[in-house]
Amino acid sequence: MEQQIEKLLATVTHPETGRNLVESGFVEHIAAAAGKATVVLRFAKARDPFAVKIKNQTEALLREAFPGTEILVVVKEGGAAPRPEPKTRTMTDGIAKVIAVASGKGGVGKSTVTANLAVALRNLGFRVGVLDADIYGPSQPKMFGVEGYTPLAEEQGGIDVMIPAEAMDIRLMSIGFFIKPTDALLWRGAMATSALKQIVHQTKWGMLDFLLADLPPGTGDIHLSIINELKIDAAVIVSTPQQIAVADVVRGVEMFRNPNVNIPVAGVVENMAYFTPEELPDNRYYIFGHGGAREYAERNGIDFLGEIPIIQSIMEGGDTGRPAAGIDSRVERHYRELAEKIVGKVMKS
Ligand code: ADP
């Protein structure tokens, strides 16, 4: 029975590495006797974000295979050694701080905020890069007007590195450079993860003060994989007023705060918060409601980073490949405030 169990464990893969539990060296002990089976798994990392998921998956698998047997899967984290996997070489050493921009769901302006925040940080004098990891709808190439860019490769120290696109002094690498828009939905799971891994580590980022990572909307395995790859210093969550209370946003915050992930949430940005007509610059119309984001943030001990209004040039900037924070002074002001707040928080940490 123990051999059968081992065979089954070899079918459970770790979502991050794509390697099964046996070949990863994570199976510490298997014991089966008198209607009971115990498996002890020991992971390499002290805090493995996939530990609970793998434990549940393993238990379900064994229960199904051995009905009537009492199954116990014990997980110990940290210390599985030696980790047989060769260490990936990485070009990320010159990046000082990585900020993830996330949202509970699509369409709230996460990519727009990422692009404009990048420009605002550049305007403050920082060296900035953008990693577009939104496998479901990579839009940074369009935002920066570099659609169709094909990253060239050059050899550096024996490995191939890719040259990022550059627009408005910002280095940009996108999963969108490698897939057709019609492919996007097919790019899930392991394939997307390994492509992103390559983009993260093999892009010639050079020296950067900030790398902004535009994450896919929502929460899931793919997020945890990216998060694990990047050593993220802070997460910024983008929301719109009408969905702020929805479970999606809470889940987004919880994903980062999960003890196994443990990434500081810099705060929540409320995008498309209100509308001000050009001819009535002092009027604010809170079309989608008001105060929800601030309230939610305060209740959950998260900083509220500010409101970005609905401004036509923001949308136009996204369509014409020039983020409005670089051309419209009204937009620039909002994003400068946001950038300064984030810099203040991230530099302290
Ligand atoms: P997400 O990345 O969350 O899916 P996008 O950044 O693609 O969302 O934004 C969705 C749409 O909303 C885009 O057409 C964008 O131009 C528009 N948009 C985002 N923020 C604003 C804003 N503050 N004012 C006007 N239009 C906006």
Side-chain angles (χ1 to χ4, degrees):
M1 184 169 170
E2 281 152 16
Q3 269 174 354
Q4 279 172 288
I5 293 178
E6 182 164 358
K7 264 197 193 141
L8 286 170
L9 295 177
T11 66
V12 178
T13 51
H14 193 287
E16 185 191 347
T17 61
R19 292 150 58 87
N20 75 54
L21 297 179
V22 176
E23 66 176 328
S24 306
F26 291 170
V27 181
E28 189 170 87
H29 187 66
I30 301 173
K36 282 188 185 175
T38 307
V39 170
V40 180
L41 301 176
R42 183 180 285 282
F43 292 92
K45 287 184 191 164
R47 290 180 156 185
D48 192 311
F50 293 102
V52 174
K53 187 182 170 117
I54 291 173
K55 173 181 154 69
N56 292 342
Q57 198 183 340
T58 307
E59 275 174 353
L61 192 69
L62 296 178
R63 284 197 183 119
E64 197 188 316
F66 306 106
T69 302
E70 195 183 316
I71 304 288
L72 181 66
V73 175
V74 180
V75 166
K76 298 184 174 174
E77 289 176 80
R83 205 175 179 199
E85 189 189 356
K87 207 176 164 336
T88 36
R89 306 229 344 234
T90 183
M91 301 298 291
T92 56
D93 293 343
I95 302 170
K97 296 282 179 190
V98 179
I99 298 172
V101 185
S103 67
K105 63 169 199 166
V108 299
K110 171 182 56 62
S111 305
T112 307
V113 169
T114 307
N116 284 284
L117 184 59
V119 170
L121 287 167
R122 192 277 321 250
N123 287 347
L124 290 174
F126 293 108
R127 291 164 297 185
V128 183
V130 171
L131 167 73
D132 181 6
D134 188 348
I135 53 162
Y136 303 117
S139 49
Q140 296 301 338
K142 185 161 194 282
M143 301 253 168
F144 283 99
V146 292
E147 288 161 293
Y149 173 80
T150 309
L152 289 174
E154 68 177 35
E155 209 201 283
Q156 196 170 311
I159 55 167
D160 281 336
V161 295
M162 297 179 285
I163 312 298
E166 199 154 334
M168 298 174 92
D169 263 348
I170 290 160
R171 290 182 200 143
L172 167 64
M173 197 55 140
S174 170
I175 186 93
F177 294 146
F178 302 89
I179 52 174
K180 293 196 289 287
T182 45
D183 289 343
L185 290 175
L186 301 174
W187 269 64
R188 299 237 168 124
M191 187 144 90
T193 311
S194 71
L196 279 172
K197 226 182 219 187
Q198 219 174 339
I199 293 176
V200 167
H201 296 293
Q202 280 170 244
T203 292
K204 193 178 177 188
W205 295 111
M207 301 297 283
L208 292 180
D209 298 302
F210 292 102
L211 178 69
L212 301 188
D214 184 355
L215 297 189
T219 55
D221 284 357
I222 184 81
H223 301 78
L224 292 175
S225 301
I226 302 167
I227 287 168
N228 259 334
E229 231 34 74
L230 261 172
K231 293 196 198 75
I232 294 169
D233 296 283
V236 171
I237 313 241
V238 181
S239 179
T240 52
Q242 71 268 42
Q243 59 110 44
I244 187 67
V246 183
D248 299 336
V249 181
V250 181
R251 265 206 302 276
V253 172
E254 277 170 1
M255 173 173 75
F256 292 108
R257 286 191 160 178
N258 178 310
N260 288 342
V261 174
N262 203 20
I263 292 170
V265 175
V268 176
V269 180
E270 193 173 78
N271 186 39
M272 305 196 242
Y274 58 87
F275 175 71
T276 300
E278 295 253 39
E279 60 281 9
L280 293 168
D282 295 328
N283 287 24
R284 290 182 176 192
Y285 296 99
Y286 289 90
I287 300 165
F288 303 122
H290 186 211
R294 195 183 294 268
E295 240 167 65
Y296 162 79
E298 277 165 11
R299 232 189 5 256
N300 289 278
I302 301 158
D303 279 357
F304 182 65
L305 297 170
E307 298 174 334
I308 307 280
I310 299 168
I311 300 180
Q312 193 171 342
S313 68
I314 294 183
M315 194 195 64
E316 288 166 356
D319 286 343
T320 55
R322 286 187 73 77
I327 41 182
D328 177 338
S329 61
R330 194 154 66 119
V331 179
E332 202 255 320
R333 183 167 50 81
H334 284 289
Y335 273 99
R336 186 174 356 106
E337 275 172 27
L338 181 63
E340 282 170 354
K341 256 194 196 155
I342 292 172
V343 170
K345 301 197 72 162
V346 174
M347 291 305 193
K348 258 192 273 164
S349 63

